[in-house]
Amino acid sequence: MNSTYIRTAGILLHITSLSSDYGIGDLGKEAYRMADWIASTGVGLWQVLPLGPTGFGNSPYAPRSTFAGNELLISLEQLVYEGLLDSRDLEHHPVFSRDHVDFNRVLTWKLPLLKKAAANFLSGKHSHQSAFDAFCSKQAFWLEEYAAFMVLYETYGDGRWFSHWPKELGRRDPKALDAFKAEHRGKLDEWKVLQFFFEMQWNAFKLYVNAKGLKLMGDVPIFVASDSADTWSNLHLFKTDAQGRFSAVSGVPPDIFSETGQLWGNPVYDWDVLKKDGYGWWIKRLERLFAMTDILRIDHFRGFDAYYEIPAGDATAENGIWVEAPGKDFFNVVRRHFGPVPIIAEDLGLMTPSVEELRNSNGFPGMKILQFGFGKDEKGQPNYYDDFLPHNWDEHFVAYTGTHDNNTTLGWFTSLDEDDKQMVLSYLDCSEQEVVWSMIRSLMLSHARCAVIPMQDLLEKGGEARFNYPSSCNDRNWSWRVEKGACTAHIANKLLDLVTISARTGKRGDDA
C-alpha cells in the first residue's frame, strides 16, 4: 500500500470530564488511567478543550486568562502525596455527582484546600523553591498580572474590571495598583503557587501521555473574554473609544439560523497595534500553548482573514461589518518564529476564497463534521453532494462525528424526523441500533487525514451527555463526565479494530 500522508485518529475528551471522587476531572490518577485506555485503542491523539481558568458560565472558551491553567484541574491527591495537604483534608468532601460537574460546589470546596496547600508551600513545606522561582521568572510576562487580577476579582466579587472595580484599579493607575499589590502580596503569591502546581502536574501528565505514544491536541479561542486578565493588562491591544471602553465586539451576521445574528461580545483586536509590535502578544500566547500541547486547533480561524465587528452596546449583531485582518502577514511571522506549526483550522461556518487560501497556503488542515452532511437540496431531496459527507472529502481535513458544540451522535440522530433518519440509515446501510458506530466507521474509513471521535460517541451516549449548548448559559453546559468503569476493554478493542482496518496507525503506508 502506498500513501502520501500519515493517517491518524483521536479522541475528544476534556480533562474536566474525567471521573474522580472530588467532583471534577483533574490531573490525578484517573487522568493517567485514561491515557492508558486511550493508548489501548490505537489512536494517536487526545484532544482537549482550552485549559484556562473558566469564568462566568464555566466556558473553557472564555477563560480568566489565556496563559494560565485552570486551578480546578490540580490534583488534591498529588498535593497530599507531596506533603502539602493532609489526607484527612480530603476525607469529608461533599457528595458529588458522578456524571456531571457542579462547578459552584466544586469551587466552594476545592479552592480553600488549594489555597491551604499554597500557603503550606510558601511557609517552606516543600522542596521546589528553585523550580518555583524559575517558573515565576519564565512566566513573568503574564503571571504577576494574572495573580493581581484574581485577587482583585475576589476582592470585588466580579471579573468585570471595566465596570465593577474602582476606576483607578480597573484602569491600572500605577500608584493605586502598586499599593494594592503591596497590601495583598501574600494572596498574589498564593495564586502564583497555584499556577506552579498546575504547571508541575500538567508537565508530568504530558510526559506520560507522550510516552504512551499519544499527542495532545489543544485549542485556541481566537478571541479572549472581556472580563479577563488578558484585556485588563493589555487594553492597548483591543479597540477602545476615547474613554478607554471597548468600542467594538465580535459576533457573526444574521443568517438562516438567526435573523439578528450572534452577538458574542468578545472585544476585538486592534490589529494595527499588534502588527507594529510584531504580534508579540500572540507569539507569547502560542509559545505558552505549544509548550503545553503538541498540536493546536484554532477556533474561528476565519477571524484571521476577516472578522465581524459590531458596535459595542448594540443589542444584536445586525449592524456589524466585516473587517479585514492581516492573517497572511501574521502567519508569516509565526512561521519565522516557530518554523512549521502543527495547527488545525476550525473553518466551519461562512467561508470565502480568501479564508480557504489563508488555510491552504499555510498547509493547515480544515475540519469536517459528519453530522452536518445529512441535508437536503432545494427540492427537498437528500443532498449527496454535501461537502460534509465522507465520500466528498479529501485528505486535507480533520473529521469529527460532532464537536463539543454539537449534540452527541445518538442525541442528534434521535432528534431527526423520520425522513432524515432514513437518509442517515440508507447512507450508512445500518439499523437504528447500529447508527453511532456506523457513523464512527464511516468517519474512520474516509480520506480525511485525521478522524476524531468524542468520548460520548464511543460510549453511545444520548443527548443527556451533550457537552455544550451554544448561545445558552445553563448549569449543564461543559459539565458532562465519564463515569468510572465506562471505558471498557470491549470498547477499546472495537475502536482498535477500526484503527487497524482504516490504516490510522500514525504510520505512512509504505512504512507499515
Side-chain angles (χ1 to χ4, degrees), residues 294-323:
D294 303 298
I295 302 166
L296 289 175
R297 187 196 83 119
I298 295 184
D299 196 51
H300 196 60
F301 177 80
R302 73 144 300 133
F304 286 107
D305 178 71
Y307 62 92
Y308 193 68
E309 177 180 295
I310 305 154
D314 277 17
T316 72
E318 295 169 277
N319 296 321
I321 58 172
W322 286 103
V323 179

Side-chain angles (χ1 to χ4, degrees), residues 352-371:
T352 64
S354 60
V355 180
E356 293 175 349
E357 168 61 22
L358 182 64
R359 179 197 67 200
N360 295 339
S361 64
N362 284 284
F364 301 152
M367 288 176 56
K368 295 295 183 185
I369 311 300
L370 183 48
Q371 289 182 20

